[in-house]
Amino acid sequence: MKKSILTKKEAECLMEENSPLYIYSEEEIRKNIKRLKQAFSWNKGFREYFAVKANPIPDLLEIFAQEGCGFDCSSDTELTLASCINAPIMFSSNVTPAEEFIHCKELGGIINLDDLSHVDFLAKTAGIPETICCRYNSGGNFDVSPNCMGTPGDAKYGMTKPQIFEAFEKLKKLGAKNFGLHAFLASNTLTNYYYPKLARELFTLAVQLKNKLDVNITFINLSGGIGVPYLPDEEENDIFLISELVKKEYDEILVPENMEPAIYTELGRYMLAPYGQLVTKVLHKKDIYKQYVGCDACAVNLMRPAMYGAYHHIIVLGKENMPLDHKYDVTGSLCENNDKFAVDRMLPQIDIGDILVICDAGAHGSAMGYNYNGKLYCAEYLKTIDGKFKLIKRAQTPKDYFATFRIDPETGEERW
Ligand SMILES: *Cc1c(COP(=O)(O)O)cnc(C)c1O
């Protein structure tokens, strides 16, 4: 059963200052990182490079660094975010400007090339580093039935198999010494067979590359894609089983070839989604053709339901044991009809002033925020190990929002 990070009392207290708000659990975040590391402890060089795009707040990044993780970045600002915390960097970007390759190389990060043409581009701009990675796209469909399918053939990322061979050959000629292989073929997978199947594909390719080109493959990057159960009756992934099945492929394919590359992951959702929640207050109720509950958060705070029709479980604080005998649409205040956190959701009787906890919002939640309708980013708190509440991102102010306009709406003055 999904549980609120905050008690009702704690929520009421914090919401006197800031509503809506995000809350994260440090304890749960650390526990999950330790579990992942333990699961992959059979692999000597294993490292998780947390996908910064899932949640870039530095206090959260610090937790990952303290637990031995690196950071997976894909933009200049993400590189800056990662560089303010001392941890290894992976740069898995696409359509990359020259300055970003240069920035990454200066920081000593590992560049993961998205395209064959980027080999020459990199040689001309930042120069070819000693350690380099290439992103593979297997094309077609990547079927990890029964409940998951990726469609790499429709994705803009990565290189075809012949291109990977050409890229490695070129890079070797240009002075690269250590090689990595990366692929991201399915997202939010709720099956224990995605990583093992992906591993088999990448390990096999790694052997072919080594044998044909005599390249030193030092790591395989399984990237992100392990999902979390957003629905209350979905079963969560078993990271120990996933790791065991990856090890089976490793022992079968790589070990006989005398290869022992490090396994890297770039998980985002799996590392943080369940450990962050959006907490919002009910402002209004409305009864027309359907029954609506309107709250002070809206899609700018969490856009997954509006964007993908994604399910996020909702807990009504203090009413956890009441029957789910009312059907509501739970909405925000945007002038967009898709601004709904839930549609036709069975919930207990809701009253104005009730506090709703929107679960599994820790990854790709506030990170996807925006300012549509002049709505502002909300405050974010960390519940620390010792039970304190630390403000880790303050709420955006109108001044913040107005800061980039030529005319300052608060004074009418021209800035330039
Ligand atoms: C988004 C992304 C990730 C993280 O994906 P999750 O689904 O959050 O695990 C990892 N690597 C790359 C290159 C990405 O774009």
Side-chain angles (χ1 to χ4, degrees):
M1 207 178 60
K2 296 190 187 278
K3 279 176 71 176
S4 173
I5 296 170
L6 295 174
T7 64
K8 190 171 176 202
K9 218 171 181 172
E10 290 167 341
E12 280 168 351
C13 182
L14 290 176
M15 288 169 103
E16 273 175 31
E17 299 273 315
N18 283 295
S19 181
L21 61 84
Y22 265 91
I23 181 76
Y24 303 88
S25 165
E26 179 180 4
E27 189 181 351
E28 295 296 323
I29 295 168
R30 287 193 192 269
K31 245 200 258 174
N32 186 57
I33 302 171
K34 289 191 167 87
R35 188 162 47 214
L36 174 75
K37 284 178 63 179
Q38 200 197 332
F40 280 93
S41 58
W42 57 267
N43 181 258
K44 244 188 275 160
F46 175 78
R47 175 168 277 133
E48 151 72 1
Y49 288 84
F50 173 68
V52 172
K53 76 162 191 269
N55 197 320
I57 301 175
D59 284 88
L60 299 177
L61 299 184
E62 253 174 14
I63 295 174
F64 283 96
Q66 285 163 5
E67 297 290 344
C69 299
F71 298 117
D72 170 43
C73 305
S74 60
S75 68
D76 207 49
T77 45
E78 286 184 0
L79 285 169
T80 304
L81 275 158
S83 69
C84 81
I85 292 154
N86 190 24
I89 292 172
M90 179 74 61
F91 188 51
S92 298
S93 64
N94 68 97
V95 196
T96 313
E99 313 81 69
E100 298 190 5
F101 280 136
I102 294 165
H103 190 180
C104 178
K105 194 151 172 265
E106 280 169 3
L107 295 173
I110 299 175
I111 293 171
N112 182 15
L113 290 179
D114 181 65
D115 190 57
L116 174 59
S117 67
H118 294 184
V119 175
D120 287 333
F121 186 73
L122 186 65
K124 273 197 238 116
T125 53
I128 302 295
E130 270 201 4
T131 300
I132 190 92
C133 184
C134 287
R135 183 168 184 166
Y136 171 57
N137 181 331
S138 61
N141 289 323
F142 194 73
D143 190 357
V144 264
S145 298
N147 50 3
C148 173
M149 171 106 92
T151 49
D154 289 332
K156 66 174 176 172
Y157 311 107
M159 312 180 203
T160 66
K161 195 173 280 185
Q163 288 174 338
I164 288 273
F165 278 88
E166 199 179 331
F168 271 47
E169 193 171 15
K170 262 189 153 164
L171 286 162
K172 191 182 171 194
K173 273 197 199 120
L174 291 167
K177 301 233 163 10
N178 310 308
F179 291 81
L181 203 50
H182 168 283
F184 189 178
L185 304 183
S187 176
N188 192 25
T189 59
L190 262 194
T191 157
N192 294 317
Y193 303 101
Y194 168 61
Y195 258 17
K197 185 170 175 186
L198 174 68
R200 185 172 190 83
E201 183 121 0
L202 288 178
F203 294 168
T204 306
L205 180 56
V207 168
Q208 291 166 354
L209 284 160
K210 183 207 67 161
N211 289 340
K212 177 130 190 252
L213 304 171
D214 190 29
V215 284
N216 181 25
I217 296 182
T218 56
F219 66 89
I220 305 282
N221 184 345
L222 299 175
S223 185
I226 295 188
V228 298
Y230 286 99
L231 289 155
D233 56 355
E234 273 173 331
E235 206 172 318
E236 69 180 297
N237 286 309
D238 179 348
I239 199 69
F240 288 94
L241 177 58
I242 290 173
S243 172
E244 189 187 314
L245 294 172
V246 169
K247 181 176 190 303
K248 206 167 144 250
E249 303 293 346
Y250 193 98
D251 290 344
E252 212 175 292
I253 301 167
L254 295 172
V255 171
E257 296 283 336
N258 291 318
M259 295 170 79
E260 23 169 25
I263 300 292
Y264 293 162
T265 57
E266 290 174 344
L267 296 164
R269 191 185 315 273
Y270 182 78
M271 305 315 293
L272 220 44
Y275 316 119
Q277 298 171 338
L278 173 59
V279 187
T280 176
K281 202 173 288 170
V282 174
L283 296 181
H284 293 286
K285 287 178 70 180
K286 174 162 181 166
D287 194 352
I288 46 171
Y289 307 103
K290 295 178 90 172
Q291 287 201 305
Y292 295 94
V293 167
C295 48
D296 61 1
C298 63
V300 304
N301 306 111
L302 173 66
M303 82 185 297
R304 298 189 70 259
M307 191 175 181
Y308 313 116
Y311 180 98
H312 280 264
H313 197 66
I314 295 177
I315 297 166
V316 187
L317 280 188
K319 296 187 175 177
E320 289 86 345
N321 298 316
M322 283 173 56
L324 308 178
D325 54 1
H326 285 66
K327 192 192 269 186
Y328 295 113
D329 280 15
V330 179
T331 84
S333 54
L334 290 186
C335 302
E336 279 286 342
N337 195 41
N338 66 0
D339 181 19
K340 293 178 180 174
F341 292 116
V343 175
D344 295 333
R345 181 75 56 89
M346 295 310 293
L347 290 166
Q349 150 93 32
I350 289 180
D351 299 297
I352 289 172
D354 276 350
I355 297 170
L356 309 182
V357 175
I358 304 178
C359 299
D360 303 311
H364 310 294
S366 75
M368 291 171 95
Y370 53 104
N371 282 135
Y372 190 51
N373 256 182
K375 301 288 179 182
L376 306 175
Y377 292 91
C378 67
E380 311 204 25
Y381 291 88
L382 180 68
K383 181 174 187 177
T384 61
I385 297 273
D386 55 8
K388 296 209 173 78
F389 297 101
K390 195 193 309 181
L391 183 68
I392 56 173
K393 186 179 172 187
R394 70 162 169 81
Q396 197 180 23
T397 62
K399 213 177 227 29
D400 295 330
Y401 170 50
F402 298 148
T404 53
F405 296 128
R406 190 182 72 85
I407 295 174
D408 180 351
E410 287 190 326
T411 61
E413 273 167 30
E414 298 183 6
R415 292 199 172 95
W416 63 85

